[in-house]
Amino acid sequence: MANFTTMNGFLLVGFSAKPELEILCASLFLVLYLVALTGNILIITVTSMDDSLYSPMYFFLKHLSFLDICYISVTVPRSICNSFMHTRSISLWECILQCLAFTLCGSAEVATLTVMSYDRYVAICLPLRYEIIMNANTCIHRILAVWISGVISGVMHTSATFSIHFCGANIIHQFFCEVPQLLKLTCSKEYVSELGVTGFLSLVASLCFLFTGFSYTRIFSTVLRSPSAEGRAKAFSTCLPHLAVVILFLSTAVFEFLKPHSDSPTALDFLLTLSYTVLPPTLNPMIYSLKNRAVKAALKKVVKRRKAYLCC
């Protein structure tokens, strides 16, 4: 059978076959997208303007917020435009770029969350050596490593996926070019190489999760031995939100990529995709701002400055 992608590209399945419900879902996505943009821009602004937040933890948080903006912007705006314009087509090159950017941002986010867990481990378990271990050069090198790992993962994943010949129906049962859905369109068992890449990246993500789990096991062990109730509260307020984000993001993403996919899309497929593509970038700013006293105090300062500026 002919490889259809060289001519026509793909058709993305919308949120619903009913136009009214399609517009409603697109409007909900638009609200979530605007909330994610606003929250993450606020985090970036606050951590950049407030001198009290010039520390490795908030340096990494700022980069996580930037990644969240990139991550959600890869998929959601296009799906919203498709719904409002009643179009479903996406060209081959657009699909390749979307797959590359999505994998790059997702892998970089996993690496960033792992680095943030190590930062918390050093801060709580090795406080006397914290400034030596997490100095400015180390932080910059870790962020560079995050982006390099993201680029490598993105290139590997995208190259393996689009080296496969696609044939038959060119319909992707998702609102963006998701790799598991693309693999359903393969002509034969050529996707074995892509499964190898997916398995390798899933293994790396699992190792990141185990490293994060080990870090937090040591953190909680140290915190619970602390005689200071205020110290324990402060440690939990900075660690628990990060741990919640890690569990939500990694568990849903790994399960979605490794679970067997049926020929017909299900509501579970859509909800799992939503839980690792849209919810983490939307919830991250809320989790960090609501549970972190320093971020809340800095937000109040920014609001007060804004009010004073407007009054003048």
Side-chain angles (χ1 to χ4, degrees):
M1 297 180 72
N3 184 347
F4 64 77
T5 58
T6 57
M7 298 179 291
N8 301 324
F10 301 96
L11 294 177
L12 300 173
V13 173
F15 302 116
S16 173
K18 298 180 179 179
E20 299 82 4
L21 191 56
E22 176 85 0
I23 296 299
L24 179 63
C25 291
S27 300
L28 176 60
F29 258 50
L30 179 59
V31 171
L32 291 174
Y33 181 64
L34 292 176
V35 169
L37 279 184
T38 303
N40 284 294
I41 289 173
L42 274 176
I43 293 291
I44 293 172
T45 303
V46 166
T47 53
S48 299
M49 293 178 60
D50 197 297
D51 294 341
S52 65
L53 301 183
Y54 283 2
S55 68
M57 173 182 173
Y58 298 107
F59 174 76
F60 295 131
L61 178 58
K62 177 165 57 177
H63 282 274
L64 179 66
S65 293
F66 176 73
L67 267 173
D68 279 337
I69 293 173
C70 298
Y71 185 67
I72 196 171
S73 297
V74 170
T75 58
V76 173
R78 176 59 189 260
S79 65
I80 294 171
C81 289
N82 285 353
S83 297
F84 284 126
M85 297 176 67
H86 302 290
T87 180
R88 297 191 299 162
S89 62
I90 183 170
S91 69
L92 172 63
W93 284 107
E94 286 177 306
C95 192
I96 291 174
L97 288 175
Q98 190 178 68
C99 182
L100 173 64
F102 181 77
T103 308
L104 189 158
C105 293
S107 301
E109 181 139 350
V110 172
T112 302
L113 292 171
T114 305
V115 169
M116 291 176 72
S117 70
Y118 178 73
D119 171 71
R120 290 298 83 207
Y121 163 74
V122 176
I124 293 173
C125 299
L126 305 170
L128 298 179
R129 299 177 59 193
Y130 181 70
E131 292 185 2
I132 298 174
I133 296 174
M134 302 302 294
N135 56 59
N137 287 334
T138 300
C139 293
I140 292 171
H141 290 157
R142 292 187 187 279
I143 287 299
L144 287 175
V146 162
W147 283 102
I148 291 171
S149 67
V151 170
I152 292 173
S153 299
V155 171
M156 286 177 58
H157 215 8
T158 308
S159 300
T161 301
F162 290 94
S163 63
I164 300 170
H165 289 82
F166 300 99
C167 57
N170 61 340
I171 299 174
I172 298 176
H173 293 285
Q174 199 53 265
F175 61 89
F176 70 101
C177 288
E178 187 188 39
V179 172
Q181 296 296 329
L182 284 168
L183 295 182
K184 293 181 182 180
L185 308 179
T186 55
C187 303
S188 61
K189 294 184 179 180
E190 295 178 358
Y191 58 82
V192 172
S193 61
E194 164 55 24
L195 289 181
V197 173
T198 300
F200 171 73
L201 295 179
S202 298
L203 175 62
V204 172
S206 300
L207 291 175
C208 288
F209 181 75
L210 290 174
F211 181 84
T212 301
F214 172 77
S215 298
Y216 277 102
T217 300
R218 297 293 301 273
I219 287 170
F220 292 144
S221 175
T222 301
V223 169
L224 292 174
R225 292 198 304 266
S226 173
S228 171
E230 183 179 353
R232 288 196 299 269
K234 183 179 180 180
F236 282 126
S237 70
T238 58
C239 294
L240 288 179
H242 176 259
L243 188 59
V245 170
V246 172
I247 292 173
L248 173 66
F249 183 78
L250 284 181
S251 60
T252 53
V254 171
F255 181 72
E256 168 65 10
F257 272 76
L258 293 184
K259 76 178 182 66
H261 291 268
S262 60
D263 293 332
S264 58
T266 63
L268 178 62
D269 291 330
F270 180 79
L271 290 175
L272 282 173
T273 304
L274 188 70
S275 64
Y276 79 87
T277 57
V278 179
L279 292 185
T282 305
L283 295 178
N284 283 359
M286 299 180 190
I287 292 172
Y288 282 111
S289 61
L290 290 176
K291 294 294 183 181
N292 191 299
R293 296 177 183 177
V295 173
K296 285 193 289 185
L299 280 172
K300 290 177 182 178
K301 288 181 184 178
V302 171
V303 172
K304 286 180 181 179
R305 289 176 186 173
R306 182 63 178 172
K307 287 181 178 179
Y309 175 78
L310 292 175
C311 290
C312 294

